[in-house]
Amino acid sequence: MSWLSDTLTSTIGRKLVMSLTGLFLIIFLVVHLAGNFQLLADDGGLAFNAYAKFMTSNPIIKTTSYGLYAFILIHIIMSIALVRKNKAARPVGYSEVKGSANSSFSSRNMGILGFIIFVFLVIHLRNFWYEMHWGAIQMDDAGNKDLYKVVSAAFSEWWYVAIYVLCMVGLAFHLSHGFSSAFQTLGVNHSKYTPFIKKLGIAYAILIPFAFALIPIIMFLNS
Ligand code: HEM
């Protein structure tokens, strides 16, 4: 198993793990967003509640969810390990840092942007995911847990919506570097494909968090 410990302790190995777990999370966000759009159906939450029941009871989705939780944790742990290793390698910073001259705002702040997403996830999972699994939620007319009621109650508070929107801005910046950086780490560096991947990454980083932010805004306006 020395290949595993070699991978998890070398800088390139850790970056590789971060890019693979990051790409999985990028796919998860698209699926999660598509499901969340059912919150906007004008049916008192029946479709969304049926969807939430399916997502928490289907054995294949449940197994994928355990992988998702593991990948989120691995992504976070690897990022902390990388930052610590970089700091240890260069305890004194560069004497001259011309930040914006050769790097983007996002690439220089991936750690803090990741931390914002982490705080978001703690709040998010406590209020929705934990409630769905272990909370005392009422049933809807179809006999499913009324998770829609929990979500719409949260999004009837302006400050809660504001937290979501701000966190989605952080997510957008994180993804704007993370998307193309993941491909670069995996060795996809080609004059033909790299410009396309960069453009796709920027489009993804704007559209997905924007659509996520739109859901609480619309629900607040309808509340
Ligand atoms: C408008 C924005 C969002 C809404 C309304 C929303 C809604 C929800 C709800 C209701 C659940 C619980 C579902 C269940 O347990 O079946 C959930 C779970 C989850 N959400 Fe979100 N979400 C949003 C944005 C996000 C974002 C941006 C992320 C990641 C950065 C995220 C990550 C997760 C994760 C990891 C879970 C647990 C999934 C699982 O158990 O498989 N969510 N979300």
Side-chain angles (χ1 to χ4, degrees):
M1 291 296 263
S2 78
W3 64 268
L4 186 63
S5 62
D6 286 353
T7 304
L8 297 181
T9 49
S10 72
T11 299
I12 185 64
R14 284 173 178 172
K15 282 191 161 190
L16 209 65
V17 172
M18 283 208 70
S19 54
L20 290 173
T21 50
L23 286 174
F24 180 85
L25 297 176
I26 279 170
I27 296 168
F28 159 74
L29 282 183
V30 177
V31 178
H32 193 38
L33 177 64
N36 285 348
F37 268 124
Q38 291 174 84
L39 285 163
L40 303 180
D42 193 13
D43 63 353
L46 287 176
F48 179 74
N49 291 339
Y51 162 77
K53 160 112 189 263
F54 173 74
M55 297 301 276
T56 45
S57 52
N58 180 286
I60 297 173
I61 308 236
K62 265 168 82 173
T63 313
T64 314
S65 286
Y66 297 136
L68 169 70
Y69 308 145
F71 281 7
I72 292 174
L73 286 176
I74 293 170
H75 193 79
I76 295 171
I77 292 166
M78 283 293 131
S79 70
I80 296 170
L82 267 174
V83 169
R84 285 172 66 110
K85 198 170 180 183
N86 286 348
K87 279 227 169 95
R90 179 171 279 280
V92 180
Y94 290 99
S95 59
E96 199 180 342
V97 179
K98 283 190 185 161
S100 56
N102 50 13
S103 64
S104 68
F105 167 84
S106 301
S107 70
R108 278 177 280 122
N109 292 287
M110 284 304 271
I112 185 80
L113 292 166
F115 182 70
I116 291 171
I117 298 165
F118 172 73
V119 173
F120 165 80
L121 273 178
V122 172
I123 299 170
H124 181 58
L125 295 182
R126 170 63 192 90
N127 289 347
F128 297 160
W129 173 82
Y130 177 87
E131 283 302 312
M132 178 65 188
H133 287 261
W134 298 285
I137 300 186
Q138 290 174 4
M139 296 295 173
D140 67 12
D141 291 345
N144 294 319
K145 283 188 179 178
D146 201 348
L147 185 60
Y148 173 82
K149 209 175 202 170
V150 178
V151 177
S152 57
F155 292 155
S156 65
E157 307 280 355
W158 71 265
W159 55 268
Y160 199 87
V161 173
I163 291 176
Y164 263 66
V165 172
L166 286 175
C167 290
M168 291 309 102
V169 174
L171 178 66
F173 279 108
H174 191 77
L175 289 169
S176 75
H177 177 72
F179 191 105
S180 54
S181 170
F183 284 95
Q184 203 165 17
T185 303
L186 292 174
V188 184
N189 206 343
H190 190 281
S191 57
K192 203 163 144 192
Y193 305 120
T194 304
F196 171 73
I197 291 171
K198 281 206 166 132
K199 277 189 195 134
L200 185 69
I202 297 297
Y204 177 96
I206 294 172
L207 289 177
I208 300 293
F210 175 76
F212 267 120
L214 216 52
I215 295 173
I217 292 174
I218 293 176
M219 290 183 80
F220 174 73
L221 295 176
N222 288 339
S223 65

